[in-house]
Amino acid sequence: MKRHFPVIRWLMVLSIGLVVALGLFSAPVKSNAAEKTYQIGTDVTFPPFEYANDNNKYVGIDIDLMNAIAKDQGFKVNFKPTSFNGAIQAVQSGQLNGMVAGMSVTPERKGTFDFSTAYYNSGVVMAVSQNNNDIKSLKDLKGKTIAVKTGTTGAQYAQSIQKKYGFKISTFDDSSNVYEDVLTGNSVACFDDEPVLRYGINQGTKLKIVTKPAAGTPIALGVKKGTNKDLVEKFNAGLAHLKKNGEYKKIMDKYLNAKKNTEDNHSFFGILKQNKTFLWQGFLQTLWLTIVSIIFATIFGVIFGLFGVLPIKFFRGLSSTVIYLFRGMPLLVLALFIYTGIPTLTGTRIPAFIAGVITLMLDEGAYIAAFVKGGIESVDKGQMEAARSLGLPFGKSMRKVILPQGVKLMVPSFINQFIITLKDTSILSIIGILELTQTGKIIIARNLEGFKVWAMVAIIYLVVITLLTWLSNWVKRRAKI
């Protein structure tokens, strides 16, 4: 048994180093109370409440109003762009201090949120394609499918009347996909907040509103129940001042009456030219996230892959358990659990980027562990027996005889895993990481040109993955595998 100790000690040192590194990366973010900076979540794909303008800066009713109130009350705001559902979970887990995202005040949300004074009262309307003359009222929806955005008042309203009018519901994460589903004919109608739908129509979306506003609900700043009372008080005081001095009306008029900019170039190359810097930044974030994640995933995977071939039952069982657990868990669920679930339990904030790295490390690391283990086991058992018969200890036999042969088989798999990790980063847009996919969503929210923007994003992914595939094939040829 003593002959195994050098390998075990080496693995334990790597394990401890990995734990320490992750501990440093995931250290809680402490805010400086003197700066009075609040972390505010927002859904930047919900115009006119929040979206990115032509210069790819976040604007909208919520953004401008929050900034004006912060200036009036003497505090700072750090906006965290994410999905609507992602923002809700981040606030509930303590990752964010609050959220402004066209958030309606409902009895259900009052159970887990404290709200500020309402700054807008929104109503839900139904819209259909401009060419659709068959759907004129709710009664015409029987047996049909309608589209809504997850977590919105429109979705809640649709659910409340679904049984009465007998329609089916399709849900999406952003409004542009809701509208696109209606325009393609997959759904006959959609429900959304009136100002959001009117903005889309003003920007050229070929829909028409066919009902009067219903289910009017107040919209307000939301914070986790029982926390950040000072933020709510400052928001209320600032809102009162803005209404009194006329700034509130200016902000509302600016966005509620916004018209399409006739100078905007909505051609494929026009959109590309306008957003090339933003897309490039999103790609760089994707690449950086991929590189950092694959490094940690490789360390994680090699450790647990080697555990799987040690002649010690405990380590083999541990390796099998880790591989089974993280390969069997959907990446989206794992990301939300790490970003919102763990902070809920521990009260410790985890930055979105670090949560993303940990997510990919565990998921991709489990696959790496599996092919490391498989690569080593694919080496003929006689090789180990021969090395041991020559008097070499287990650790030295592994390093000098087995691993050199196994690594040769693993190299192409490592490159393929890098490709998979690059594609999997797109899922992390759910926790607000501004990578390439999230960048595409933000651009689409402004210009509602989903097909063209997603074509650009797809081409970028395809070019990079093609280059990596060529690299993988070149390595295989060089290694003569």
Side-chain angles (χ1 to χ4, degrees), residues 231-476:
L231 174 59
V232 175
E233 292 175 347
K234 291 174 183 177
F235 186 94
N236 291 341
L239 180 62
H241 288 172
L242 295 184
K243 286 184 175 181
K244 188 175 182 180
N245 63 25
E247 184 67 19
Y248 170 84
K249 186 176 185 304
K250 290 180 181 178
I251 293 173
M252 290 297 171
D253 290 343
K254 177 182 178 181
Y255 293 104
L256 294 179
N257 300 321
K259 298 295 182 182
K260 183 177 180 180
N261 187 350
T262 56
E263 297 180 359
D264 283 350
N265 188 340
H266 280 239
S267 67
F268 182 90
F269 291 103
I271 296 172
L272 179 61
K273 181 179 179 180
Q274 181 180 345
N275 297 283
K276 61 182 179 180
T277 301
F278 199 31
L279 287 168
W280 175 248
Q281 292 171 347
F283 169 70
L284 290 180
Q285 180 75 333
T286 294
L287 193 61
W288 175 237
L289 179 62
T290 303
I291 292 172
V292 174
S293 299
I294 202 66
I295 290 173
F296 281 104
T298 299
I299 296 172
F300 180 87
V302 168
I303 290 173
F304 284 94
L306 291 175
F307 278 173
V309 297
L310 287 178
I312 301 175
K313 189 174 182 180
F314 170 78
F315 286 109
R316 293 200 305 271
L318 180 62
S319 174
S320 298
T321 300
V322 167
I323 292 173
Y324 172 79
L325 180 64
F326 292 114
R327 282 206 307 180
M329 188 178 298
L331 189 60
L332 179 62
V333 175
L334 183 60
L336 290 173
F337 174 77
I338 292 172
Y339 184 63
T340 63
I342 292 178
T344 300
L345 295 174
T346 65
T348 301
R349 292 182 184 176
I350 303 177
F353 185 86
I354 302 306
V357 169
I358 295 174
T359 299
L360 292 175
M361 180 198 73
L362 296 175
D363 182 81
E364 313 300 338
Y367 285 93
I368 291 175
F371 68 67
V372 166
K373 179 181 176 183
I376 294 174
E377 290 178 339
S378 66
V379 178
D380 193 281
K381 293 182 180 180
Q383 299 286 318
M384 175 62 79
E385 293 173 358
R388 297 303 299 274
S389 68
L390 293 173
L392 293 177
F394 177 83
K396 199 166 187 179
S397 299
M398 184 67 72
R399 293 196 308 272
K400 298 293 186 180
V401 180
I402 305 301
L403 284 179
Q405 299 178 67
V407 167
K408 184 179 179 181
L409 301 173
M410 298 176 207
V411 170
S413 296
F414 273 108
I415 297 176
N416 289 336
Q417 199 61 42
F418 186 90
I419 295 172
I420 293 171
T421 304
L422 179 72
K423 292 189 292 185
D424 284 347
T425 57
S426 62
I427 295 177
L428 299 180
S429 62
I430 191 67
I431 61 175
I433 296 179
L434 196 57
E435 42 67 67
L436 188 56
T437 300
Q438 180 74 345
T439 300
K441 290 180 181 180
I442 292 173
I443 295 172
I444 293 169
R446 179 181 69 247
N447 59 31
L448 298 174
E449 294 285 358
F451 175 79
K452 296 173 185 175
V453 176
W454 287 131
M456 295 174 195
V457 173
I459 290 171
I460 294 172
Y461 275 117
L462 187 60
V463 169
V464 177
I465 289 171
T466 299
L467 293 175
L468 289 173
T469 302
W470 287 348
L471 175 62
S472 176
N473 294 333
W474 179 81
V475 170
K476 288 179 181 179

Side-chain angles (χ1 to χ4, degrees), residues 80-91:
K80 297 292 184 180
T82 180
S83 66
F84 186 83
N85 278 343
I88 287 179
Q89 295 179 56
V91 172

Side-chain angles (χ1 to χ4, degrees), residues 40-175:
I40 303 296
T42 188
D43 173 10
V44 289
T45 61
F46 199 56
F49 289 100
E50 46 269 327
Y51 62 101
N53 64 11
D54 294 345
N55 298 318
N56 293 313
K57 292 183 179 180
Y58 300 134
V59 296
I61 293 173
D62 290 343
I63 305 297
D64 287 13
L65 191 62
M66 194 73 206
N67 282 329
I69 290 174
K71 183 178 180 181
D72 181 83
Q73 294 295 303
F75 63 88
K76 297 180 180 179
V77 177
N78 185 16
F79 288 105
K80 297 292 184 180
T82 180
S83 66
F84 186 83
N85 278 343
I88 287 179
Q89 295 179 56
V91 172
Q92 290 176 333
S93 66
Q95 289 277 61
L96 301 175
N97 300 118
M99 63 180 290
V100 284
M103 187 178 187
S104 301
V105 181
T106 64
E108 294 82 4
R109 288 175 182 162
K110 284 183 177 180
T112 54
F113 280 87
D114 287 330
F115 290 97
S116 68
T117 301
Y119 58 87
Y120 188 78
N121 192 68
S122 180
V124 176
V125 292
M126 182 176 75
V128 299
S129 171
Q130 288 181 354
N131 299 323
N132 189 335
N133 296 317
D134 297 326
I135 307 297
K136 299 178 181 179
S137 68
L138 298 175
K139 295 179 180 179
D140 300 324
L141 296 177
K142 187 173 182 179
K144 306 290 195 306
T145 299
I146 62 97
V148 296
K149 180 178 176 180
T150 306
T152 61
T153 307
Q156 294 176 348
Y157 176 66
Q159 290 167 358
S160 70
I161 63 173
Q162 180 181 15
K163 187 175 180 180
K164 179 179 179 180
Y165 292 102
F167 54 79
K168 301 176 184 178
I169 299 177
S170 292
T171 58
F172 300 87
D173 283 335
D174 53 74
S175 296

